[in-house]
């Protein structure tokens, strides 16, 4: 939030320095919209100035018991296909982020999420989907990242979407920047069940 207020402040200082009118300065609302994630198209300079005193609100996220993804403070639902949604929920459950080279270690957990999201029971087919998604020689996971990114960018500009999408990080990991204190699962047992399953699978793998 502070950085967005700084952006607006710097733009307004530019106007003052140039002693310019609204008719011959850059489209400040559009520039601020691009950098802050707020849609201010057509807004006046006074509206932008008011934002220097107003924090940007990052909505809570609720994953419902039927796996709808809601942003209640924006009154929005984020729609995704089942596989993209399953990948997204996996990353929500791992604030420590996940390195793509180790994604196969999360295959059983991802399988459990996908089964819960879809209600499917065709084990062999689902396991093949998981193998394709987490294998080292596939672009499938990048396709899911792209669908997830589009799901948020269709609702926001990049300044807000970056808090919710899966981001590529400098250490080779990918992760979601959302503060997990803003995340709620309606089914509070669901994350624990999945993490227990992954721990059990890891234990078996070490025997």
């Amino acid at each position: 939030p502070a950085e967005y207020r700084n952006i607006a402040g710097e733009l307004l200082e530019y106007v003052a320095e140039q002693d310019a009118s609204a008719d011959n300065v850059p489209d400040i609302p559009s520039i601020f919209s691009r950098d802050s994630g707020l849609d201010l198209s057509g807004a006046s300079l006074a509206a932008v100035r008011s934002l220097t005193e107003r924090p940007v609100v990052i909505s809570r996220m609720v994953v419902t018991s039927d796996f709808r993804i809601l942003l209640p403070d924006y009154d929005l639902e984020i729609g995704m296909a089942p596989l993209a949604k399953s990948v997204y929920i996996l990353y929500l459950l791992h604030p420590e982020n996940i390195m793509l080279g180790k994604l196969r270690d999360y295959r059983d957990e991802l399988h459990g999420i996908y089964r819960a999201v879809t209600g499917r029971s065709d084990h062999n087919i689902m396991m093949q989907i998981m193998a394709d998604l987490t294998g080292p020689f596939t672009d499938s996971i990048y396709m899911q990242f792209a669908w997830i990114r589009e799901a948020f960018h269709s609702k926001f500009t990049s300044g807000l979407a970056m808090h919710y999408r899966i981001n590529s990080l400098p250490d080779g990991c990918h992760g979601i920047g959302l503060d997990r204190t803003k995340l709620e699962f309606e089914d509070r047992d669901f994350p624990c069940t999945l993490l227990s399953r992954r721990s059990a699978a890891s234990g078996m793998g070490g025997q």
Side-chain angles (χ1 to χ4, degrees):
E3 66 187 81
Y4 300 153
R5 293 194 294 273
N6 289 342
I7 292 168
E10 289 171 6
L11 289 170
L12 292 168
E13 286 175 10
Y14 170 83
V15 174
E17 289 172 359
Q18 299 299 314
D19 192 24
S21 70
D23 294 330
N24 59 7
V25 297
D27 185 354
I28 290 178
S30 295
I31 295 171
F32 188 67
S33 295
R34 180 195 66 202
D35 289 329
S36 70
L38 299 175
D39 185 5
L40 298 176
S41 302
S44 67
L45 291 181
V48 177
R49 183 176 287 107
S50 72
L51 285 169
T52 64
E53 304 299 330
R54 186 185 307 169
V56 175
V57 175
I58 304 302
S59 176
R60 295 166 295 134
M61 176 177 285
V62 176
V63 180
T64 68
S65 55
D66 59 350
F67 302 103
R68 296 162 61 212
I69 297 174
L70 307 179
L71 301 177
D73 299 319
Y74 302 152
D75 194 24
L76 283 176
E77 178 175 353
I78 305 298
M80 297 181 196
L83 188 55
K85 183 178 290 186
S86 300
V87 170
Y88 188 72
I89 291 173
L90 175 69
Y91 277 85
L92 280 177
L93 291 171
H94 290 278
E96 76 279 11
N97 305 321
I98 298 175
M99 185 171 291
L100 285 188
K102 296 184 177 180
L103 187 59
R104 62 184 177 277
D105 295 342
Y106 299 82
R107 187 176 294 174
D108 288 339
E109 187 179 347
L110 183 56
H111 174 264
I113 297 170
Y114 188 57
R115 182 172 59 188
V117 168
T118 63
R120 294 177 63 167
S121 58
D122 43 353
H123 178 78
N124 291 338
I125 293 176
M126 285 197 294
M127 288 306 294
Q128 184 58 55
I129 292 172
M130 296 303 104
D132 292 342
L133 190 62
T134 60
F137 306 111
T138 175
D139 291 330
S140 180
I141 189 64
Y142 291 104
M143 293 176 62
Q144 302 310 315
F145 288 165
W147 285 118
I148 292 165
R149 181 184 178 91
E150 176 59 24
F152 289 104
H153 280 258
S154 66
K155 304 291 186 181
F156 316 117
T157 52
S158 60
L160 280 179
M162 66 180 293
H163 294 280
Y164 299 102
R165 70 193 184 205
I166 296 176
N167 296 296
S168 177
L169 304 173
D171 58 2
C173 290
H174 285 70
I176 298 170
L178 180 68
D179 181 347
R180 295 310 195 272
T181 63
K182 291 182 173 288
L183 173 64
E184 174 188 344
F185 282 85
E186 279 189 348
D187 181 355
R188 296 177 183 273
D189 293 331
F190 178 72
C192 297
T193 301
L194 287 169
L195 294 174
S196 296
R197 179 181 295 133
R198 179 169 181 259
S199 296
S202 298
M204 293 177 61
Q207 294 176 359

